[in-house]
Amino acid sequence: MDERRDELIEAALQLFSTRSPEDVSIDDVAAKAGASRALVYHYFGGKNELYIAALGSAAKHLSVLLEPPTEGKPLERLRISLKRYFDFVESHAAGYTALLRGGPADRSGEAGEIVDGIRRLLLDRILHSLDVDVPPPILRITLRCWMATVETAGLDWLENRDVSRPDLERLLVDQLVVIMQISGRHDPGTGALFDRLAHEEMSH
Amino acid sequence: MDERRDELIEAALQLFSTRSPEDVSIDDVAAKAGASRALVYHYFGGKNELYIAALGSAAKHLSVLLEPPTEGKPLERLRISLKRYFDFVESHAAGYTALLRGGPADRSGEAGEIVDGIRRLLLDRILHSLDVDVPPPILRITLRCWMATVETAGLDWLENRDVSRPDLERLLVDQLVVIMQISGRHDPGTGALFDRLAHEEMSH
């Protein structure tokens, strides 16, 4: 009956995409999935477990979406990944905001671990796609900060929507290029990586 | 007896600076302040209230620390504020990490509101010191993202300490300069602001 469980999670995610977790009840999820309240309790025991399961499912979905493109030049791969990230942000709007707004401060321990896990996974993915095993500190910091920039831009976009998504995505790509370049002036390893990527970008 | 209350908060903050909130007990705070357990309960009712009071006090301290310097050129003012921010990060290490990375599962929304309040205050301060009333969206996003960058760099520094603080502060200043510049290419208002700041920086 795992299929039934998946349907309940899917119903919960759809509700969390437009309402914050505290505004979604077990009854809402049951009604949305055409299931009984008892069935939801049977699978999840309670609302918090359902929330954590839904969050884990969304995190898995994001990690699949963000499997690094293997084709194309560096900036094209970056553009594709960023577009996929914002597709995710847009389709999980309320949940994304509820989870990240106020920084990690509103998250319970488990939810925080899922978010931190995704961040670590994405950082590892980025480093892997750059052929970097152990990043120099400046590179690690620069990439972590840029990821925080993307999260913050995602929250701001959902809140204000006064910049178009394509414009925002272009801004974030441009920002990464210039911060990688300036970080390269603070650290030779990061500088060599920037030069290699720039060279790859220019070649045909 | 507000003085006594302040002493209890100060004791709590000192404990939170080296241990995460869940590892600090009411007894620890009482012992540190040379007070009775009953007095702590008298003033705060419980550990969560004490935690929120301590957090509010730290937030107030940070907001005073970060009153914008009025003297000096733009980059010098930025350097001073960033140094003060990292002084705060360093002296509130454990609390800063616990708050921004996650922490006790029973943390209420109040902590999140304090963090968001500080972010809004700092953004308003930055805009005010730039003589900007209503920021163009691109400028607002750029500044919010850079503030997230500073928070993330603070967390990374406390976790790894493999870059010196002055080096990290210089990196963050340089990053702000280049992202303001590139954002200026996406938005005329931000571009005009960047040009004005650059001009101010060059003049004597």
Side-chain angles (χ1 to χ4, degrees), chain A residues 102-107 137 140-141 144-145 148-149 152 156 159-160 162-163 171 174-175 179 183 186, chain B residues 100-101 107 112 116 119 137 140-141 144-145 148-149 152 156 159-160 162-163 171 174-175 179 183 186:
Chain A
D106 284 340
R107 302 176 331 207
R140 178 196 68 232
I141 293 166
R144 285 182 76 177
C145 289
T149 286
T152 304
D156 187 285
E159 189 184 334
N160 297 294
D162 50 8
V163 172
L171 176 72
D174 284 357
Q175 287 198 355
I179 64 168
S183 293
H186 289 250
Chain B
L100 294 179
R101 295 205 76 184
R107 189 178 27 207
D116 271 352
R119 286 180 180 140
R140 179 196 67 231
I141 293 166
R144 285 182 76 177
C145 288
T149 285
T152 303
D156 186 285
E159 188 184 334
N160 297 295
D162 49 9
V163 172
L171 177 71
D174 285 356
Q175 287 197 356
I179 64 168
S183 292
H186 289 250

mmCIF file of all heavy atoms in Angstrom, chain A residues 102-107 137 140-141 144-145 148-149 152 156 159-160 162-163 171 174-175 179 183 186, chain B residues 100-101 107 112 116 119 137 140-141 144-145 148-149 152 156 159-160 162-163 171 174-175 179 183 186:
data_model
loop_
_atom_site.group_PDB
_atom_site.id
_atom_site.type_symbol
_atom_site.label_atom_id
_atom_site.label_comp_id
_atom_site.label_asym_id
_atom_site.label_seq_id
_atom_site.Cartn_x
_atom_site.Cartn_y
_atom_site.Cartn_z
ATOM 1 N N GLY A 102 12.700 33.725 7.801
ATOM 2 C CA GLY A 102 13.241 33.883 9.153
ATOM 3 C C GLY A 102 14.505 33.082 9.274
ATOM 4 O O GLY A 102 14.967 32.802 10.353
ATOM 5 N N GLY A 103 15.058 32.689 8.136
ATOM 6 C CA GLY A 103 16.234 31.840 8.193
ATOM 7 C C GLY A 103 15.787 30.527 8.767
ATOM 8 O O GLY A 103 14.590 30.270 8.900
ATOM 9 N N PRO A 104 16.745 29.734 9.119
ATOM 10 C CA PRO A 104 16.419 28.428 9.670
ATOM 11 C C PRO A 104 15.702 28.529 11.021
ATOM 12 O O PRO A 104 15.341 27.526 11.590
ATOM 13 C CB PRO A 104 17.799 27.779 9.853
ATOM 14 C CG PRO A 104 18.696 28.554 8.967
ATOM 15 C CD PRO A 104 18.153 29.945 8.923
ATOM 16 N N ALA A 105 15.475 29.737 11.495
ATOM 17 C CA ALA A 105 15.053 29.893 12.886
ATOM 18 C C ALA A 105 13.715 29.239 13.201
ATOM 19 O O ALA A 105 13.497 28.822 14.321
ATOM 20 C CB ALA A 105 14.990 31.376 13.248
ATOM 21 N N ASP A 106 12.807 29.152 12.241
ATOM 22 C CA ASP A 106 11.494 28.597 12.555
ATOM 23 C C ASP A 106 11.419 27.091 12.370
ATOM 24 O O ASP A 106 10.373 26.508 12.518
ATOM 25 C CB ASP A 106 10.417 29.248 11.669
ATOM 26 C CG ASP A 106 10.102 30.646 12.176
ATOM 27 O OD1 ASP A 106 10.409 30.909 13.335
ATOM 28 O OD2 ASP A 106 9.571 31.436 11.396
ATOM 29 N N ARG A 107 12.528 26.485 12.012
ATOM 30 C CA ARG A 107 12.466 25.062 11.683
ATOM 31 C C ARG A 107 12.636 24.214 12.927
ATOM 32 O O ARG A 107 13.418 24.526 13.797
ATOM 33 C CB ARG A 107 13.598 24.710 10.722
ATOM 34 C CG ARG A 107 13.529 25.517 9.475
ATOM 35 C CD ARG A 107 14.699 25.245 8.575
ATOM 36 N NE ARG A 107 15.882 24.845 9.303
ATOM 37 C CZ ARG A 107 17.100 25.035 8.858
ATOM 38 N NH1 ARG A 107 17.295 25.626 7.713
ATOM 39 N NH2 ARG A 107 18.123 24.632 9.541
ATOM 40 N N PRO A 137 39.206 26.943 1.238
ATOM 41 C CA PRO A 137 38.203 27.609 2.081
ATOM 42 C C PRO A 137 37.462 28.748 1.370
ATOM 43 O O PRO A 137 36.240 28.858 1.476
ATOM 44 C CB PRO A 137 39.021 28.136 3.264
ATOM 45 C CG PRO A 137 40.170 27.192 3.369
ATOM 46 C CD PRO A 137 40.488 26.766 1.965
ATOM 47 N N ARG A 140 34.862 27.348 -0.959
ATOM 48 C CA ARG A 140 33.724 26.784 -0.199
ATOM 49 C C ARG A 140 32.818 27.910 0.305
ATOM 50 O O ARG A 140 31.588 27.862 0.149
ATOM 51 C CB ARG A 140 34.263 25.975 0.986
ATOM 52 C CG ARG A 140 33.175 25.372 1.885
ATOM 53 C CD ARG A 140 33.736 24.919 3.224
ATOM 54 N NE ARG A 140 34.154 26.058 4.026
ATOM 55 C CZ ARG A 140 35.344 26.197 4.604
ATOM 56 N NH1 ARG A 140 36.265 25.255 4.501
ATOM 57 N NH2 ARG A 140 35.635 27.286 5.287
ATOM 58 N N ILE A 141 33.424 28.934 0.899
ATOM 59 C CA ILE A 141 32.647 30.050 1.446
ATOM 60 C C ILE A 141 31.884 30.762 0.330
ATOM 61 O O ILE A 141 30.704 31.073 0.454
ATOM 62 C CB ILE A 141 33.567 31.036 2.204
ATOM 63 C CG1 ILE A 141 34.130 30.351 3.452
ATOM 64 C CG2 ILE A 141 32.834 32.324 2.562
ATOM 65 C CD1 ILE A 141 35.300 31.081 4.095
ATOM 66 N N ARG A 144 28.954 28.586 -0.784
ATOM 67 C CA ARG A 144 27.893 28.545 0.231
ATOM 68 C C ARG A 144 27.147 29.880 0.276
ATOM 69 O O ARG A 144 25.922 29.910 0.412
ATOM 70 C CB ARG A 144 28.468 28.256 1.622
ATOM 71 C CG ARG A 144 28.867 26.806 1.820
ATOM 72 C CD ARG A 144 29.385 26.557 3.230
ATOM 73 N NE ARG A 144 28.302 26.511 4.222
ATOM 74 C CZ ARG A 144 28.497 26.244 5.515
ATOM 75 N NH1 ARG A 144 29.724 26.033 5.968
ATOM 76 N NH2 ARG A 144 27.480 26.195 6.346
ATOM 77 N N CYS A 145 27.901 30.958 0.173
ATOM 78 C CA CYS A 145 27.262 32.284 0.214
ATOM 79 C C CYS A 145 26.374 32.490 -1.008
ATOM 80 O O CYS A 145 25.291 33.061 -0.901
ATOM 81 C CB CYS A 145 28.316 33.387 0.318
ATOM 82 S SG CYS A 145 29.117 33.447 1.940
ATOM 83 N N ALA A 148 23.176 30.745 -0.492
ATOM 84 C CA ALA A 148 22.312 31.524 0.404
ATOM 85 C C ALA A 148 21.684 32.693 -0.361
ATOM 86 O O ALA A 148 20.541 33.070 -0.121
ATOM 87 C CB ALA A 148 23.109 32.041 1.602
ATOM 88 N N THR A 149 22.455 33.232 -1.295
ATOM 89 C CA THR A 149 21.945 34.304 -2.155
ATOM 90 C C THR A 149 20.763 33.807 -2.985
ATOM 91 O O THR A 149 19.729 34.478 -3.086
ATOM 92 C CB THR A 149 23.084 34.813 -3.080
ATOM 93 O OG1 THR A 149 23.983 35.603 -2.295
ATOM 94 C CG2 THR A 149 22.563 35.631 -4.240
ATOM 95 N N THR A 152 17.729 33.359 -0.750
ATOM 96 C CA THR A 152 17.176 34.654 -0.363
ATOM 97 C C THR A 152 16.443 35.306 -1.535
ATOM 98 O O THR A 152 15.364 35.878 -1.365
ATOM 99 C CB THR A 152 18.307 35.574 0.148
ATOM 100 O OG1 THR A 152 18.972 34.902 1.219
ATOM 101 C CG2 THR A 152 17.785 36.908 0.635
ATOM 102 N N ASP A 156 12.532 36.375 -1.703
ATOM 103 C CA ASP A 156 12.148 37.736 -2.078
ATOM 104 C C ASP A 156 11.224 37.707 -3.288
ATOM 105 O O ASP A 156 10.227 38.430 -3.351
ATOM 106 C CB ASP A 156 13.404 38.576 -2.367
ATOM 107 C CG ASP A 156 13.047 40.032 -2.596
ATOM 108 O OD1 ASP A 156 12.517 40.355 -3.694
ATOM 109 O OD2 ASP A 156 13.257 40.873 -1.700
ATOM 110 N N GLU A 159 7.793 36.729 -2.363
ATOM 111 C CA GLU A 159 7.158 37.759 -1.542
ATOM 112 C C GLU A 159 6.737 38.958 -2.391
ATOM 113 O O GLU A 159 5.665 39.522 -2.191
ATOM 114 C CB GLU A 159 8.161 38.204 -0.471
ATOM 115 C CG GLU A 159 7.623 39.122 0.605
ATOM 116 C CD GLU A 159 8.755 39.558 1.548
ATOM 117 O OE1 GLU A 159 9.762 38.803 1.685
ATOM 118 O OE2 GLU A 159 8.648 40.659 2.106
ATOM 119 N N ASN A 160 7.603 39.346 -3.334
ATOM 120 C CA ASN A 160 7.367 40.615 -4.041
ATOM 121 C C ASN A 160 7.008 40.476 -5.518
ATOM 122 O O ASN A 160 6.256 41.288 -6.048
ATOM 123 C CB ASN A 160 8.612 41.502 -3.903
ATOM 124 C CG ASN A 160 8.889 41.886 -2.458
ATOM 125 O OD1 ASN A 160 8.110 42.607 -1.848
ATOM 126 N ND2 ASN A 160 9.972 41.377 -1.901
ATOM 127 N N ASP A 162 8.274 41.428 -8.124
ATOM 128 C CA ASP A 162 8.371 42.663 -8.907
ATOM 129 C C ASP A 162 9.573 42.658 -9.855
ATOM 130 O O ASP A 162 9.928 43.696 -10.430
ATOM 131 C CB ASP A 162 8.368 43.902 -7.988
ATOM 132 C CG ASP A 162 9.373 43.795 -6.845
ATOM 133 O OD1 ASP A 162 10.172 42.840 -6.854
ATOM 134 O OD2 ASP A 162 9.354 44.658 -5.952
ATOM 135 N N VAL A 163 10.187 41.501 -9.976
ATOM 136 C CA VAL A 163 11.222 41.281 -10.990
ATOM 137 C C VAL A 163 10.804 40.002 -11.696
ATOM 138 O O VAL A 163 10.295 39.085 -11.047
ATOM 139 C CB VAL A 163 12.612 41.096 -10.331
ATOM 140 C CG1 VAL A 163 13.657 40.680 -11.348
ATOM 141 C CG2 VAL A 163 13.034 42.361 -9.603
ATOM 142 N N LEU A 171 20.361 37.742 -13.216
ATOM 143 C CA LEU A 171 21.104 38.494 -12.196
ATOM 144 C C LEU A 171 21.949 37.552 -11.333
ATOM 145 O O LEU A 171 23.124 37.816 -11.059
ATOM 146 C CB LEU A 171 20.113 39.269 -11.305
ATOM 147 C CG LEU A 171 20.726 40.048 -10.125
ATOM 148 C CD1 LEU A 171 21.479 41.275 -10.629
ATOM 149 C CD2 LEU A 171 19.649 40.473 -9.117
ATOM 150 N N ASP A 174 24.964 36.228 -13.212
ATOM 151 C CA ASP A 174 25.982 37.282 -13.312
ATOM 152 C C ASP A 174 26.683 37.504 -11.969
ATOM 153 O O ASP A 174 27.892 37.742 -11.917
ATOM 154 C CB ASP A 174 25.340 38.607 -13.771
ATOM 155 C CG ASP A 174 25.028 38.593 -15.266
ATOM 156 O OD1 ASP A 174 25.362 37.589 -15.943
ATOM 157 O OD2 ASP A 174 24.457 39.584 -15.757
ATOM 158 N N GLN A 175 25.898 37.438 -10.893
ATOM 159 C CA GLN A 175 26.504 37.627 -9.566
ATOM 160 C C GLN A 175 27.519 36.521 -9.270
ATOM 161 O O GLN A 175 28.595 36.789 -8.752
ATOM 162 C CB GLN A 175 25.426 37.660 -8.478
ATOM 163 C CG GLN A 175 24.615 38.964 -8.499
ATOM 164 C CD GLN A 175 23.856 39.192 -7.199
ATOM 165 O OE1 GLN A 175 23.847 38.356 -6.316
ATOM 166 N NE2 GLN A 175 23.213 40.344 -7.090
ATOM 167 N N ILE A 179 31.436 37.193 -8.348
ATOM 168 C CA ILE A 179 32.001 36.859 -7.017
ATOM 169 C C ILE A 179 33.056 35.765 -7.137
ATOM 170 O O ILE A 179 34.035 35.754 -6.405
ATOM 171 C CB ILE A 179 30.950 36.528 -5.928
ATOM 172 C CG1 ILE A 179 30.164 35.283 -6.246
ATOM 173 C CG2 ILE A 179 30.075 37.723 -5.606
ATOM 174 C CD1 ILE A 179 29.338 34.787 -5.072
ATOM 175 N N SER A 183 36.689 36.437 -5.794
ATOM 176 C CA SER A 183 37.234 35.477 -4.827
ATOM 177 C C SER A 183 38.551 34.904 -5.329
ATOM 178 O O SER A 183 39.444 34.588 -4.537
ATOM 179 C CB SER A 183 36.232 34.345 -4.569
ATOM 180 O OG SER A 183 35.096 34.848 -3.906
ATOM 181 N N HIS A 186 41.441 36.549 -4.060
ATOM 182 C CA HIS A 186 41.755 36.314 -2.654
ATOM 183 C C HIS A 186 42.398 34.947 -2.439
ATOM 184 O O HIS A 186 42.892 34.665 -1.359
ATOM 185 C CB HIS A 186 40.487 36.410 -1.799
ATOM 186 C CG HIS A 186 39.949 37.798 -1.659
ATOM 187 N ND1 HIS A 186 40.006 38.494 -0.481
ATOM 188 C CD2 HIS A 186 39.372 38.634 -2.549
ATOM 189 C CE1 HIS A 186 39.465 39.700 -0.654
ATOM 190 N NE2 HIS A 186 39.080 39.803 -1.898
ATOM 191 N N LEU B 100 20.845 30.409 13.850
ATOM 192 C CA LEU B 100 20.759 30.467 12.399
ATOM 193 C C LEU B 100 20.862 29.095 11.740
ATOM 194 O O LEU B 100 20.544 28.955 10.586
ATOM 195 C CB LEU B 100 21.823 31.415 11.836
ATOM 196 C CG LEU B 100 21.616 32.885 12.214
ATOM 197 C CD1 LEU B 100 22.725 33.750 11.651
ATOM 198 C CD2 LEU B 100 20.269 33.403 11.746
ATOM 199 N N ARG B 101 21.308 28.096 12.470
ATOM 200 C CA ARG B 101 21.413 26.767 11.875
ATOM 201 C C ARG B 101 20.285 25.843 12.259
ATOM 202 O O ARG B 101 20.128 24.772 11.698
ATOM 203 C CB ARG B 101 22.707 26.090 12.319
ATOM 204 C CG ARG B 101 23.927 26.766 11.830
ATOM 205 C CD ARG B 101 25.041 25.786 11.779
ATOM 206 N NE ARG B 101 24.875 24.910 10.633
ATOM 207 C CZ ARG B 101 25.667 23.892 10.382
ATOM 208 N NH1 ARG B 101 26.623 23.577 11.208
ATOM 209 N NH2 ARG B 101 25.477 23.164 9.309
ATOM 210 N N ARG B 107 11.510 25.610 19.785
ATOM 211 C CA ARG B 107 11.661 27.043 19.568
ATOM 212 C C ARG B 107 10.395 27.592 18.923
ATOM 213 O O ARG B 107 9.900 27.061 17.941
ATOM 214 C CB ARG B 107 12.852 27.279 18.656
ATOM 215 C CG ARG B 107 13.211 28.723 18.543
ATOM 216 C CD ARG B 107 14.417 28.828 17.671
ATOM 217 N NE ARG B 107 14.419 27.676 16.763
ATOM 218 C CZ ARG B 107 15.494 27.176 16.250
ATOM 219 N NH1 ARG B 107 16.645 27.656 16.552
ATOM 220 N NH2 ARG B 107 15.419 26.166 15.414
ATOM 221 N N GLY B 112 12.237 33.453 15.463
ATOM 222 C CA GLY B 112 12.267 33.785 14.040
ATOM 223 C C GLY B 112 11.900 35.241 13.795
ATOM 224 O O GLY B 112 12.501 35.909 12.955
ATOM 225 N N ASP B 116 14.120 38.040 11.919
ATOM 226 C CA ASP B 116 13.586 38.792 10.776
ATOM 227 C C ASP B 116 13.563 40.282 11.053
ATOM 228 O O ASP B 116 13.821 41.091 10.147
ATOM 229 C CB ASP B 116 12.156 38.319 10.460
ATOM 230 C CG ASP B 116 12.162 37.156 9.493
ATOM 231 O OD1 ASP B 116 13.245 36.831 8.958
ATOM 232 O OD2 ASP B 116 11.090 36.573 9.263
ATOM 233 N N ARG B 119 16.955 41.685 10.552
ATOM 234 C CA ARG B 119 17.278 41.786 9.120
ATOM 235 C C ARG B 119 16.598 42.997 8.486
ATOM 236 O O ARG B 119 17.200 43.712 7.697
ATOM 237 C CB ARG B 119 16.822 40.516 8.399
ATOM 238 C CG ARG B 119 17.702 39.327 8.678
ATOM 239 C CD ARG B 119 17.179 38.111 7.931
ATOM 240 N NE ARG B 119 18.010 36.957 8.192
ATOM 241 C CZ ARG B 119 17.555 35.721 8.374
ATOM 242 N NH1 ARG B 119 16.263 35.482 8.304
ATOM 243 N NH2 ARG B 119 18.390 34.732 8.602
ATOM 244 N N PRO B 137 13.613 47.228 -6.995
ATOM 245 C CA PRO B 137 13.628 45.807 -6.628
ATOM 246 C C PRO B 137 15.017 45.162 -6.715
ATOM 247 O O PRO B 137 15.412 44.434 -5.805
ATOM 248 C CB PRO B 137 12.666 45.183 -7.648
ATOM 249 C CG PRO B 137 11.716 46.284 -7.988
ATOM 250 C CD PRO B 137 12.503 47.557 -7.920
ATOM 251 N N ARG B 140 17.076 46.163 -3.709
ATOM 252 C CA ARG B 140 16.582 45.486 -2.498
ATOM 253 C C ARG B 140 17.063 44.027 -2.473
ATOM 254 O O ARG B 140 17.581 43.537 -1.475
ATOM 255 C CB ARG B 140 15.056 45.521 -2.464
ATOM 256 C CG ARG B 140 14.413 44.824 -1.270
ATOM 257 C CD ARG B 140 12.927 44.550 -1.501
ATOM 258 N NE ARG B 140 12.731 43.576 -2.564
ATOM 259 C CZ ARG B 140 11.930 43.735 -3.606
ATOM 260 N NH1 ARG B 140 11.223 44.834 -3.758
ATOM 261 N NH2 ARG B 140 11.827 42.787 -4.524
ATOM 262 N N ILE B 141 16.898 43.337 -3.604
ATOM 263 C CA ILE B 141 17.290 41.922 -3.683
ATOM 264 C C ILE B 141 18.797 41.785 -3.482
ATOM 265 O O ILE B 141 19.269 40.927 -2.729
ATOM 266 C CB ILE B 141 16.864 41.323 -5.043
ATOM 267 C CG1 ILE B 141 15.340 41.265 -5.127
ATOM 268 C CG2 ILE B 141 17.481 39.939 -5.246
ATOM 269 C CD1 ILE B 141 14.794 41.004 -6.529
ATOM 270 N N ARG B 144 19.615 42.329 0.218
ATOM 271 C CA ARG B 144 19.159 41.199 1.048
ATOM 272 C C ARG B 144 20.060 39.978 0.825
ATOM 273 O O ARG B 144 20.381 39.259 1.768
ATOM 274 C CB ARG B 144 17.711 40.823 0.719
ATOM 275 C CG ARG B 144 16.693 41.790 1.278
ATOM 276 C CD ARG B 144 15.270 41.346 0.965
ATOM 277 N NE ARG B 144 14.827 40.225 1.812
ATOM 278 C CZ ARG B 144 13.610 39.708 1.756
ATOM 279 N NH1 ARG B 144 12.703 40.190 0.907
ATOM 280 N NH2 ARG B 144 13.270 38.706 2.547
ATOM 281 N N CYS B 145 20.407 39.748 -0.425
ATOM 282 C CA CYS B 145 21.258 38.594 -0.731
ATOM 283 C C CYS B 145 22.639 38.765 -0.110
ATOM 284 O O CYS B 145 23.227 37.817 0.405
ATOM 285 C CB CYS B 145 21.364 38.392 -2.239
ATOM 286 S SG CYS B 145 19.837 37.766 -2.977
ATOM 287 N N ALA B 148 22.476 37.938 3.487
ATOM 288 C CA ALA B 148 22.469 36.472 3.667
ATOM 289 C C ALA B 148 23.875 35.912 3.472
ATOM 290 O O ALA B 148 24.285 34.958 4.144
ATOM 291 C CB ALA B 148 21.495 35.826 2.678
ATOM 292 N N THR B 149 24.608 36.522 2.562
ATOM 293 C CA THR B 149 26.008 36.137 2.345
ATOM 294 C C THR B 149 26.826 36.354 3.617
ATOM 295 O O THR B 149 27.607 35.490 4.031
ATOM 296 C CB THR B 149 26.589 36.962 1.172
ATOM 297 O OG1 THR B 149 26.055 36.446 -0.056
ATOM 298 C CG2 THR B 149 28.103 36.906 1.123
ATOM 299 N N THR B 152 25.892 33.761 6.226
ATOM 300 C CA THR B 152 26.423 32.442 5.858
ATOM 301 C C THR B 152 27.930 32.392 6.082
ATOM 302 O O THR B 152 28.465 31.400 6.586
ATOM 303 C CB THR B 152 26.081 32.136 4.389
ATOM 304 O OG1 THR B 152 24.657 32.222 4.228
ATOM 305 C CG2 THR B 152 26.548 30.749 3.987
ATOM 306 N N ASP B 156 29.954 29.881 8.541
ATOM 307 C CA ASP B 156 31.068 29.073 8.031
ATOM 308 C C ASP B 156 32.342 29.369 8.820
ATOM 309 O O ASP B 156 33.100 28.462 9.167
ATOM 310 C CB ASP B 156 31.279 29.358 6.528
ATOM 311 C CG ASP B 156 32.311 28.428 5.940
ATOM 312 O OD1 ASP B 156 33.527 28.635 6.198
ATOM 313 O OD2 ASP B 156 31.942 27.469 5.224
ATOM 314 N N GLU B 159 32.316 27.704 12.111
ATOM 315 C CA GLU B 159 32.409 26.244 11.960
ATOM 316 C C GLU B 159 33.824 25.820 11.588
ATOM 317 O O GLU B 159 34.328 24.815 12.083
ATOM 318 C CB GLU B 159 31.421 25.824 10.865
ATOM 319 C CG GLU B 159 31.232 24.337 10.679
ATOM 320 C CD GLU B 159 30.305 24.060 9.491
ATOM 321 O OE1 GLU B 159 29.462 24.930 9.145
ATOM 322 O OE2 GLU B 159 30.440 22.979 8.887
ATOM 323 N N ASN B 160 34.461 26.579 10.706
ATOM 324 C CA ASN B 160 35.734 26.111 10.134
ATOM 325 C C ASN B 160 36.966 26.919 10.559
ATOM 326 O O ASN B 160 38.050 26.356 10.675
ATOM 327 C CB ASN B 160 35.637 26.107 8.603
ATOM 328 C CG ASN B 160 34.582 25.134 8.102
ATOM 329 O OD1 ASN B 160 34.723 23.924 8.276
ATOM 330 N ND2 ASN B 160 33.513 25.655 7.510
ATOM 331 N N ASP B 162 39.068 28.545 9.046
ATOM 332 C CA ASP B 162 40.264 28.296 8.241
ATOM 333 C C ASP B 162 40.596 29.479 7.323
ATOM 334 O O ASP B 162 41.449 29.376 6.435
ATOM 335 C CB ASP B 162 40.150 26.979 7.453
ATOM 336 C CG ASP B 162 38.836 26.858 6.695
ATOM 337 O OD1 ASP B 162 38.083 27.854 6.637
ATOM 338 O OD2 ASP B 162 38.564 25.771 6.155
ATOM 339 N N VAL B 163 39.912 30.591 7.553
ATOM 340 C CA VAL B 163 40.244 31.865 6.896
ATOM 341 C C VAL B 163 40.300 32.879 8.029
ATOM 342 O O VAL B 163 39.499 32.789 8.970
ATOM 343 C CB VAL B 163 39.144 32.261 5.880
ATOM 344 C CG1 VAL B 163 39.360 33.655 5.349
ATOM 345 C CG2 VAL B 163 39.066 31.249 4.745
ATOM 346 N N LEU B 171 37.041 39.958 1.878
ATOM 347 C CA LEU B 171 36.346 39.239 0.802
ATOM 348 C C LEU B 171 34.899 39.728 0.676
ATOM 349 O O LEU B 171 34.396 39.968 -0.423
ATOM 350 C CB LEU B 171 36.368 37.727 1.095
ATOM 351 C CG LEU B 171 35.623 36.833 0.094
ATOM 352 C CD1 LEU B 171 36.374 36.760 -1.232
ATOM 353 C CD2 LEU B 171 35.411 35.422 0.655
ATOM 354 N N ASP B 174 34.680 43.196 -0.853
ATOM 355 C CA ASP B 174 34.929 43.115 -2.297
ATOM 356 C C ASP B 174 33.725 42.505 -3.039
ATOM 357 O O ASP B 174 33.376 42.932 -4.133
ATOM 358 C CB ASP B 174 36.176 42.264 -2.580
ATOM 359 C CG ASP B 174 37.471 43.012 -2.265
ATOM 360 O OD1 ASP B 174 37.391 44.196 -1.898
ATOM 361 O OD2 ASP B 174 38.554 42.406 -2.406
ATOM 362 N N GLN B 175 33.114 41.493 -2.404
ATOM 363 C CA GLN B 175 31.951 40.874 -3.052
ATOM 364 C C GLN B 175 30.811 41.877 -3.193
ATOM 365 O O GLN B 175 30.147 41.936 -4.225
ATOM 366 C CB GLN B 175 31.479 39.651 -2.258
ATOM 367 C CG GLN B 175 32.416 38.451 -2.409
ATOM 368 C CD GLN B 175 31.777 37.144 -1.983
ATOM 369 O OE1 GLN B 175 30.649 37.112 -1.501
ATOM 370 N NE2 GLN B 175 32.498 36.051 -2.169
ATOM 371 N N ILE B 179 29.043 42.859 -6.744
ATOM 372 C CA ILE B 179 27.633 42.550 -7.038
ATOM 373 C C ILE B 179 26.806 43.825 -7.189
ATOM 374 O O ILE B 179 25.874 43.868 -7.974
ATOM 375 C CB ILE B 179 26.972 41.563 -6.032
ATOM 376 C CG1 ILE B 179 26.885 42.124 -4.635
ATOM 377 C CG2 ILE B 179 27.640 40.198 -6.069
ATOM 378 C CD1 ILE B 179 26.000 41.301 -3.720
ATOM 379 N N SER B 183 24.807 44.392 -10.526
ATOM 380 C CA SER B 183 23.372 44.670 -10.401
ATOM 381 C C SER B 183 23.025 45.983 -11.087
ATOM 382 O O SER B 183 21.929 46.152 -11.615
ATOM 383 C CB SER B 183 22.957 44.704 -8.936
ATOM 384 O OG SER B 183 23.066 43.418 -8.375
ATOM 385 N N HIS B 186 21.848 45.661 -14.422
ATOM 386 C CA HIS B 186 20.498 45.103 -14.582
ATOM 387 C C HIS B 186 19.428 46.129 -14.271
ATOM 388 O O HIS B 186 18.254 45.886 -14.512
ATOM 389 C CB HIS B 186 20.304 43.885 -13.661
ATOM 390 C CG HIS B 186 21.072 42.676 -14.100
ATOM 391 N ND1 HIS B 186 20.457 41.568 -14.613
ATOM 392 C CD2 HIS B 186 22.398 42.404 -14.130
ATOM 393 C CE1 HIS B 186 21.382 40.653 -14.922
ATOM 394 N NE2 HIS B 186 22.562 41.142 -14.635
#
